[in-house]
Amino acid sequence: MTAHPLDPLTADEFRAAAAVLRRDRGVDERWRFASIELREPAKDLVRTFAPGDPVRREARVTCWSRDEGTTYKALVSLTDDAVLAWDAVPGEQANMTLDEWHEAHEALIAHPDVIAALAKRGITELDLVLIDTWAYGHSLIPAEFQDRRVGWTDVWRRSTPMGNPYANPVDGLHFVVDMNTLELLRIEDDAPPVGGSPMGEYRPDLVPGLVQRSDVKALEILQPEGPSFALDGNELRWQNWSMRLGFNYREGLVIHRVGYRDGDATRPIAHRLSFAEMVVPYRDPSPDHHRRTAFDIGEWGLGFMTTSLELGCDCLGDIAYVDAVLHDSRGEPYTIGNAICLHEEDDGVLWKHVDERAGAEVRRSRRMVVSFHATVANYEYLIYWRFYQDGTIECEVRATGIMVTSSFDGEAPPTGTVVDDQTYAPFHQHFIVARMDMEIDGPENTVVVSESEAVPVSDANPYGLALVQRSRPLLTESDGKQDYDWAGQRGWKVVNRARLNRLGTPTGYKLVASASFPALVDRNSPIMARAGVIDHTLWVTPYKEEERWPAGEFCNQSRGSAGLPQWTTADRSIADTDIVLWHVFGIHHIPRPEDWPVMPVDTVSFSLKPWGFFDRNPALDVPPNPGRCH
Ligand SMILES: [Cu+2]
């Protein structure tokens, strides 16, 4: 039984979606399912849904035949057991699948030419070799392979069976592989540098001479009365907050229907929050790195990359976990246990004042954390959505894991940081695109850009102290392409101009950006053609159901221009309408020596802060810390 129309697909529903296409469209064992996901119902149906209402379920499916090669998109009615749409998408490659990644390794490691190339470098223990397939962009694919589904591989070598493969790059050796036939198309075998002897291990038993510090005492989080949140199906409620949790192959965690109870009513803030793309161009033109322009979401999928969490390690406290169900490339469901972590955290002081007569009033801040972790080959992304008692929503990303490295002889290349003996980590960038389908007090919202301006000295401003805010609404999509500007402290508010607060101003939420950086990419580069989204801090579009992927639906081998750059050429109105906010943020990663051999988390974030959404501080009613303060 489906409890709510936004609940993710169940294992049975994945099976049913695949079965309908096998029965009605001849999808046989030679096909792969790239993705199966819920087609979310229309927003007005969701808004008016009441428990017990009938629910119609539909699945979107992308699949292709390994023999014929054409990608197909299907819409399947699970309720009616029927195919509603079946469209060929010639010239596009579906996202990569984990099955292909594993199968490419198996096929290549058994190939005599691969074995010979490894032997030439003195590598004969094949069990220690990892062949790691990357997707790569269309214009970089050799002309004769352009019509194929291709992968480009790195080769890594473990020093010991449990050693870190990314500790030892097999420099200059790459395979171009047909992902459908698993045929080895080409070997790129450049003479490797002599290199040095880097130490790239991080497991304590493998780090020579490592003595773990002995002065770390136990730290336990106790919640004797249990947590303050409640999970009912996929609906999470905590203090005044409510939201629904979703999950799919591509975005991983999706948070729907975010609302805040204010008096008797729950006021909507966002219809849907997720990460819609992550683009990671490596900024090193050397043959070992020039094809590295990963679309971690569009090519690989944050959901597919999600890993299980472990109590006491990943999350601390009174935890509730939510499992996620996804599917393999045969359409068979599988479960990622403990995929989403729900817990509360103490967050220091929320507000405080000491009065000489009345003494101190101090409240501790607590936050509700909804998180998940994805491992994308060498890298980890830890994603935290945090909801605070003062109405703030904060989204934090922590990047950790192992950096890609190469060996060098002589001078280090200027496009990386030396992190070990004759070993460098190339500069690269992680552009994350948060998709925020906002709904401040209702669907019709407007974005206002505000900047601070110093007023010149004049009779009215004799001391030059006056500072004013200049604000204007963004009316069309071309207006909505916004860049961060530190000098003016530029910021953006999503407001509902039809809903005024006690002070007579529109209710709103402000996007507080703190991790924006310029793309610093040549306009004529292939990556800019494929990922034009990285060119702005903010994009605003009117909501359209099919506009979900900011760098295009099919990023794998994409040629370019799909997604936000294309949609926004229509220059549609974005005033007083159902808008989607796309925020580009991330890490301009100039590696540090300390990022090696495993990176301490590099943390970036942004916030959505109430700005006139409430009439005053909404956290006046937070009581002193139970049992501690008075
Ligand atoms: Cu990085």
Side-chain angles (χ1 to χ4, degrees), residues 280 282 379 381 399 403 426 428-430 587 589-591 599 602:
V280 189
Y282 279 69
Y379 244 92
Y381 297 103
M403 293 185 302
H428 60 277
Q429 298 158 304
H430 307 252
I587 304 170
H589 196 173
I590 305 299
M599 266 173 71
D602 201 340

Side-chain angles (χ1 to χ4, degrees), residues 279-566:
V279 187
V280 189
Y282 279 69
R283 307 302 302 273
D284 178 358
S286 73
D288 273 331
H289 301 290
H290 75 287
R291 294 208 186 95
R292 259 183 247 292
T293 50
F295 290 68
D296 285 333
I297 292 178
E299 287 172 344
W300 292 100
L302 273 190
F304 283 145
M305 300 292 122
T306 294
T307 47
S308 297
L309 301 167
E310 197 179 327
L311 183 60
C313 302
D314 294 302
C315 311
L316 212 52
D318 206 326
I319 310 290
Y321 289 110
V322 179
D323 294 345
V325 182
L326 288 177
H327 63 89
D328 64 17
S329 72
R330 293 167 300 132
E332 273 299 301
Y334 64 91
T335 299
I336 303 170
N338 297 356
I340 303 169
C341 172
L342 306 176
H343 75 301
E344 287 174 283
E345 282 177 358
D346 178 86
D347 176 49
V349 169
L350 169 64
W351 57 260
K352 174 176 181 171
H353 184 60
V354 182
D355 179 86
E356 65 171 315
R357 292 186 182 177
E361 285 287 336
V362 55
R363 299 294 182 272
R364 290 198 71 78
S365 171
R366 214 186 280 192
R367 59 195 186 190
M368 179 74 222
V369 187
V370 184
S371 65
F372 73 114
H373 294 181
T375 297
V376 187
N378 54 303
Y379 244 92
E380 264 72 17
Y381 297 103
L382 323 180
I383 296 155
Y384 302 86
W385 290 91
R386 302 192 180 116
F387 299 84
Y388 289 80
Q389 291 160 308
D390 70 349
T392 297
I393 301 171
E394 175 189 54
C395 177
E396 181 181 284
V397 178
R398 297 178 167 215
T400 176
I402 323 285
M403 293 185 302
V404 163
T405 58
S406 277
S407 316
F408 65 92
D409 290 337
E411 285 284 293
T415 47
T417 302
V418 176
V419 295
D420 207 326
D421 185 20
Q422 299 299 117
T423 300
Y424 77 103
F427 303 148
H428 60 277
Q429 298 158 304
H430 307 252
F431 295 95
I432 304 163
V433 187
R435 182 182 183 279
M436 295 178 278
D437 185 346
M438 301 302 290
E439 196 170 310
I440 304 294
D441 279 325
E444 290 174 3
N445 290 168
T446 303
V447 178
V448 173
V449 58
S450 298
E451 279 167 327
S452 295
E453 194 180 297
V455 179
V457 172
S458 67
D459 289 348
N461 181 34
Y463 313 111
L465 284 170
L467 181 80
V468 293
Q469 276 289 89
R470 304 269 182 227
S471 297
R472 68 181 176 92
L474 304 176
L475 301 179
T476 68
E477 286 177 299
S478 55
D479 249 358
K481 296 176 193 178
Q482 292 278 312
D483 302 313
Y484 196 71
D485 177 44
W486 289 103
Q489 292 291 294
R490 189 174 292 165
W492 300 278
K493 276 180 273 185
V494 184
V495 301
N496 186 328
R497 299 202 282 192
R499 173 78 185 255
L500 305 182
N501 57 32
R502 172 175 75 94
L503 308 164
T505 53
T507 59
Y509 259 72
K510 181 178 181 183
L511 171 67
V512 181
S514 69
S516 301
F517 55 96
L520 291 166
V521 182
D522 189 301
R523 305 244 154 246
N524 299 314
S525 66
I527 188 61
M528 206 45 139
R530 299 175 66 209
V533 59
I534 66 177
D535 210 16
H536 297 292
T537 306
L538 186 77
W539 303 67
V540 186
T541 57
Y543 170 79
K544 283 280 173 297
E545 185 190 352
E546 297 304 320
E547 294 184 1
R548 300 190 295 155
W549 312 120
E553 178 168 4
F554 298 104
C555 300
N556 190 7
Q557 299 181 207
S558 64
R559 294 166 176 79
S561 79
L564 275 170
Q566 190 185 61

Side-chain angles (χ1 to χ4, degrees), residues 165-210:
Y166 299 105
N168 308 296
V170 179
D171 300 289
L173 185 60
H174 304 276
F175 308 120
V176 180
V177 56
D178 183 313
M179 300 304 284
N180 281 334
T181 60
L182 298 177
E183 214 178 321
L184 173 61
L185 300 175
R186 177 178 286 187
I187 297 184
E188 296 173 357
D189 192 356
D190 298 323
V194 177
S197 304
M199 199 302 290
E201 303 295 349
Y202 57 91
R203 282 173 49 117
D205 53 327
L206 297 178
V207 179
L210 180 77

